[in-house]
Amino acid sequence: MVFKVQMGNKIKAAKVLLENYYPTDKIQVEIIPAETTNKTNFNLHQSLGVKKPRQTIVMLYGMDYAGEEDPRLVKFANAFAKSGFRVAVPCLNGLKSLEFQIDDVDRICDLALYLGQTFSDTVGICAFSIGGGYALVAAANLVNQIAIDPILLFSPYYCLNELWEYWKDKDLVQPTNDREWDHFLWNKMALAYRGLDSLGFSQNEREDFLYRLRHYCSEDSLDKKRAYYLQSLAHLKVPKYGDFPIRSEILDALSPKGKLYNITGKVLLVHDTNDLMIPPSHTERIFKELSGSKMTSSITHRKIITPLLSHVTINNSWKLMDGLSILDMMGEFF
């Protein structure tokens, strides 16, 4: 009986992933703009005809100009909604501005509390990249107010101060292969956005740049992105990470490091073996701190570090065992 339930959960998780990449129109999802009592804006994804959703999930993106409207995130949220979940995606102005802001974590906490109180439900979190670190900080802050469980994270960070120094060092590295180029180009686009007013763009060039940034991960091929960079950005003085003053105490406040003893929900970690944006050592350290906590000694946290992912994008070349492990983790939601 237990085996049948576990297999059934894996099949449901597989349907979420397949729906994400090969969406069907059999089940309709409505996306409702909403706000909490404290004016935190969010989009609510829910399937039409589902009377009682399985659970409420807060879904968080990373540093993303498109934010809650990122096509990849919308697909993933809709896939969960079609599987019977209620999914809330907040507007996080800091992440959408490609900046670190403590207000974003406050908004996540406010949304989770609002959803828990409104629907009398345990709230889960599914988060990507920088949003993964924010999710852990928010869950630690909410430990005495609401149960956050489970917490599924793709490529989260552990310590922002260390990550910031790592990014500054990467400013000096020139790409040598397609994988490095993809990370290099995203960084250049993000940094160019932070210094947009100093680049001397015409109005049309500015609008073209912002469109490309919004759709960076969903439209153009790597060759087209590289061609745009070489033609429109390479000759400009694009800022470097070291050009932006940032307060160490803000990075500390936004870092899961040292806060994970408060986490009471099950944490499921997935990370790219060769992640160039957030090294997999961050997930290793998150897992180690979680596993050493007396608060979570009775909870089985899980991690998988796999080349199946490219930062937060699933690659085409599935490894059978890694794929099954991810399905098994996602099955925790069902």
Side-chain angles (χ1 to χ4, degrees), residues 198-210:
S198 67
L199 296 182
F201 279 163
S202 67
Q203 185 61 30
N204 286 341
E205 289 172 332
R206 187 186 183 95
E207 291 175 1
D208 180 53
F209 171 83
L210 292 175

Side-chain angles (χ1 to χ4, degrees), residues 207-221:
E207 291 175 1
D208 180 53
F209 171 83
L210 292 175
Y211 179 87
R212 291 174 185 273
L213 181 62
R214 176 178 288 273
H215 299 277
Y216 181 85
C217 294
S218 59
E219 290 195 3
D220 284 346
S221 66

